[in-house]
Amino acid sequence: MLETVKYLIGSRGASGFGSKSTAEEVTETCPDLRFITAIITGATSGIGAETARVLAKRGARLVIPARNLKAAAEAKARIVSEFPNSEIVIMALDLSSLSSVRKFVLDFESLDLPLNLLINNAGRFAHHHAISEDGIEMTFATNYLGHFLLTKLLLNKMMETTKQSGVQGRIVNVSSSINGWFSGDMIRYLGQISRSKSQYDATRAYALSKLANVLHTKELAQRLKEMGANVTVNCVHPGIVRTRLTREREGFITGLVFFLASKLLKTIPQAASTTCYVATYPRLENVSGKYFADCNETWTSKLGSDSIEASKLWAASEIMVSEI
């Protein structure tokens, strides 16, 4: 109850920010980002678009991968109209397709750009059962597995950039507090819903993908530490906000639910604040493997903090993305 009250009034935590803080506010004192190159998935609308806008305002060069290049061009135009000196590169990427992820990485590497910041923001809530071209349930494929492979393939570029620039690289995985809604055997359930829709529950599948984001963060942080890489990875819960994630369920019921929950909703600038905070705030240098909400470190679910589950998911993910 106390946490809910703090959320509603926007009480500020140890970071100096809280639920009412905006992305612009939390980046006001961040270092000059003119020498930072950032890849942001899901930046054509919603939280990702606001994250991209604010980072561009602070001077960062942006790479915006998108399945819909027209939407990406429109997002770029909006940012450039506000900040004419922005440098923004649009590239094709379908996160649900592992071959598309591989092609994107090859295309990005051909540009010979540095990579300081990777924000794995794109998300999908598939209300209807679907399987990706790689045989993986679509929500999991898009929200987690595509980002897992993208991060894996970009790590060498990030580590190379940190050595050349001396600036610590950062990876931000956007999850959700709904990760705590999943219980049970992750790999078994994924196998079930990747074969048949008979066991499919859209909300549980979404929770599974968001839990996977949390466990990916935990395991990757440990591996980066063991490698001695000057790269951190952290996970964020942006908060409850109405974005295009609900586009398949627009209508009276959805509108009524959001109206009734309006006091708990964040604006998009508020929802983008935690991502921008974790991506840029100076005090988070060397902070890795943590989970943030409302711009403050917090606890994740019991399953989300299980190192054994994180290791098991990593091993299964390596198999799923392996090329035969």
Side-chain angles (χ1 to χ4, degrees):
M1 182 65 179
L2 178 60
E3 291 303 313
T4 301
V5 172
K6 287 182 178 180
Y7 174 86
L8 291 172
I9 66 176
S11 178
R12 293 173 182 259
S15 68
F17 304 111
S19 62
K20 303 300 183 184
S21 300
T22 66
E24 288 200 18
E25 180 184 354
V26 303
T27 57
E28 280 178 354
T29 59
C30 76
D32 187 347
L33 300 184
R34 282 180 296 174
F35 301 103
I36 297 297
T37 298
I39 293 177
I40 309 173
T41 67
T44 59
S45 65
I47 297 169
E50 177 66 3
T51 300
R53 187 190 76 83
V54 171
L55 293 184
K57 179 176 183 177
R58 304 305 178 201
R61 176 198 286 127
L62 304 181
V63 176
I64 298 180
R67 184 176 55 178
N68 185 335
L69 293 179
K70 182 174 181 288
E74 291 170 351
K76 175 180 177 177
R78 288 192 296 270
I79 294 173
V80 171
S81 68
E82 189 174 0
F83 311 113
N85 294 325
S86 299
E87 185 178 348
I88 302 174
V89 180
I90 293 171
M91 301 181 69
L93 172 62
D94 179 354
L95 281 162
S96 72
S97 164
L98 298 179
S99 63
S100 177
V101 173
R102 292 188 178 95
K103 185 177 186 305
F104 166 80
V105 173
L106 289 174
D107 290 344
F108 174 74
E109 289 176 340
S110 72
L111 298 177
D112 199 27
L113 292 174
L115 180 58
N116 309 90
L117 176 60
L118 172 60
I119 300 179
N120 292 320
N121 165 83
R124 174 187 181 132
F125 192 124
H127 290 271
H128 302 289
H129 184 258
I131 303 295
S132 76
E133 64 183 42
D134 302 292
I136 306 297
E137 188 277 322
M138 190 63 79
T139 297
F140 189 87
T142 305
N143 294 0
Y144 167 71
L145 196 61
H147 282 128
F148 173 85
L149 180 60
L150 180 67
T151 304
K152 173 184 171 71
L153 297 179
L154 289 172
L155 266 182
N156 283 339
K157 171 59 72 172
M158 292 197 78
M159 291 189 290
E160 176 186 305
T161 299
T162 63
K163 289 179 181 178
Q164 293 176 349
S165 67
V167 178
Q168 190 169 72
R170 296 191 185 189
I171 300 168
V172 182
N173 289 331
V174 178
S175 181
S176 166
S177 61
I178 202 174
N179 79 83
W181 292 18
F182 185 87
S183 61
D185 188 318
M186 297 176 64
I187 306 304
R188 181 181 179 186
Y189 181 64
L190 175 63
Q192 290 174 340
I193 61 176
S194 292
R195 288 192 301 269
S196 168
K197 65 180 180 181
S198 61
Q199 300 289 327
Y200 189 70
D201 178 310
T203 301
R204 192 175 186 215
Y206 183 71
L208 170 65
S209 72
K210 296 288 100 179
L211 174 60
N213 294 145
V214 176
L215 292 174
H216 178 217
T217 302
K218 184 175 184 64
E219 181 69 13
L220 179 57
Q222 181 61 35
R223 289 171 178 260
L224 289 170
K225 182 179 179 181
E226 291 171 357
M227 293 164 60
N230 190 23
V231 178
T232 64
V233 56
N234 290 291
C235 198
V236 304
H237 164 55
I240 307 169
V241 60
R242 188 172 190 175
T243 68
R244 291 183 66 245
L245 196 65
T246 62
R247 58 186 172 272
E248 295 180 35
R249 279 292 183 271
E250 291 296 336
F252 175 75
I253 298 300
T254 301
L256 179 61
V257 168
F258 274 97
F259 174 76
L260 294 174
S262 61
K263 294 301 182 182
L264 295 175
L265 290 179
K266 286 187 175 186
T267 65
I268 287 178
Q270 290 169 346
S273 64
T274 305
T275 300
C276 288
Y277 171 77
V278 173
T280 68
Y281 210 67
R283 282 196 309 201
L284 294 187
E285 185 170 356
N286 297 323
V287 173
S288 192
K290 305 301 183 182
Y291 181 77
F292 291 82
D294 301 328
C295 301
N296 287 276
E297 184 182 338
T298 188
W299 298 101
T300 184
S301 64
K302 182 178 180 179
L303 196 54
S305 60
D306 190 324
S307 58
I308 295 176
E309 287 296 319
S311 180
K312 285 169 56 179
L313 175 64
W314 186 284
S317 302
E318 289 280 17
I319 294 170
M320 285 186 276
V321 303
S322 64
E323 294 184 275
I324 300 174

